[in-house]
Amino acid sequence: MTRVLILGGTADAARLARALDGVSGVEVISSLAGRTEGIPHLPGRVRVGGFGGAEGLARFLRDEAIDRVVDATHPFAARISAQAAQACAQAAIPRLLLLRPAWQPEPGDRWVEVDGFAAAAAALPALGRRAFLTVGIGEVAAFAEAHGIHFLVRLIAEQKLPLADYRVVTGKGPFDADAEQSLMRANAIDVVVSKASGGAATYGKIAAARALGLPVLMIRRPPPPEGLSAGTIDEVLEWLRG
């Protein structure tokens, strides 16, 4: 029996867990972050919460006799991915990073690419005054000093934010491009702020911005840790069979 730990909370991680459901000789444990909203129904065992850093994860890997680790966390979860790489090295356990392909600009796109959220906040006032902010709750505070801007902020759940002028709209992907256009028009959006997350679930806003001729302030991904990586679930399954 091969015990596989999936570090996730993403749609990719859920798809992988379901793809492994019923595979002979494979036992799956899915690990979700403690702040995960609306925990999905997944096959196999599910644990929620942190490990206590790289040392805690390495201890978990040894205690649970984990054979392989698939890091299917979000492309911007740099700290978690770094800890996973360190823990797997300490425990001498093979690790694979499932890294969804990044979006690529297409004709008609007006991307302004920056490194990091502080740089995005600094660049924003030159691009627009009504921003569709889609960076996740953990990064909203970086835009608190971007004055003179009305923010339309999409979150999973309504909550108070450290922004001077904002409105929250709630929702969880996938998001349709036509619906995204309607939302942007209704709120007179003139710039979209997005992480370069990749994947189909949130691409609608990128397609909508292109159709409307709006600039997209695109925050580049942090560099992933060194090691093996895969871009698709099929590649992960092949690695697990190897």
Side-chain angles (χ1 to χ4, degrees):
M1 181 67 69
T2 299
R3 305 195 83 193
V4 179
L5 175 66
I6 300 174
L7 301 175
T10 61
D12 292 330
R15 282 194 291 268
L16 176 59
R18 293 178 182 124
L20 290 171
D21 186 28
V23 174
S24 178
V26 175
E27 180 183 354
V28 174
I29 302 174
S30 294
S31 177
L32 311 180
R35 65 178 179 272
T36 299
E37 300 267 359
I39 297 172
H41 176 73
L42 296 172
R45 178 178 156 196
V46 177
R47 70 171 302 280
V48 178
F51 292 97
E55 293 290 340
L57 177 53
R59 185 165 51 251
F60 179 88
L61 297 177
R62 289 188 290 263
D63 291 346
E64 295 289 337
I66 300 298
D67 297 295
R68 300 223 179 172
V69 172
V70 179
D71 178 358
T73 56
H74 193 276
F76 279 77
R79 181 177 59 84
I80 298 173
S81 288
Q83 290 175 354
Q86 183 180 343
C88 288
Q90 290 178 11
I93 293 173
R95 172 189 60 91
L96 182 70
L97 178 64
L98 175 55
L99 189 62
R100 69 184 75 154
W103 296 321
Q104 298 299 323
E106 298 184 8
D109 281 327
R110 297 172 56 199
W111 289 9
V112 176
E113 299 184 78
V114 296
D115 292 312
F117 297 93
L124 183 55
L127 297 174
R129 284 293 180 267
R130 296 185 65 86
F132 187 22
L133 186 61
T134 63
V135 298
I137 184 60
E139 309 301 342
V140 168
F143 295 86
E145 299 304 316
H147 299 297
I149 296 174
H150 172 77
F151 291 96
L152 178 66
V153 186
R154 180 152 61 206
L155 301 173
I156 293 175
E158 180 92 30
Q159 56 187 290
K160 186 173 176 61
L161 302 176
L163 303 173
D165 183 10
Y166 71 92
R167 176 192 166 210
V168 171
V169 58
T170 59
K172 188 173 183 179
F175 298 104
D176 176 76
D178 290 339
E180 295 287 69
Q181 279 196 53
S182 297
L183 179 66
M184 292 179 196
R185 285 196 184 100
N187 289 274
I189 296 301
D190 57 12
V191 59
V192 175
V193 185
S194 174
K195 296 185 290 191
S197 300
T202 59
Y203 187 72
K205 63 190 173 187
I206 307 303
R210 182 190 310 126
L212 295 172
L214 301 181
V216 176
L217 183 53
M218 187 71 76
I219 302 160
R220 296 187 185 97
R221 295 178 176 185
E226 294 183 359
L228 292 174
S229 65
T232 67
I233 288 175
D234 284 343
E235 291 175 8
V236 177
L237 297 177
E238 185 64 29
W239 177 73
L240 291 171
R241 285 192 290 265

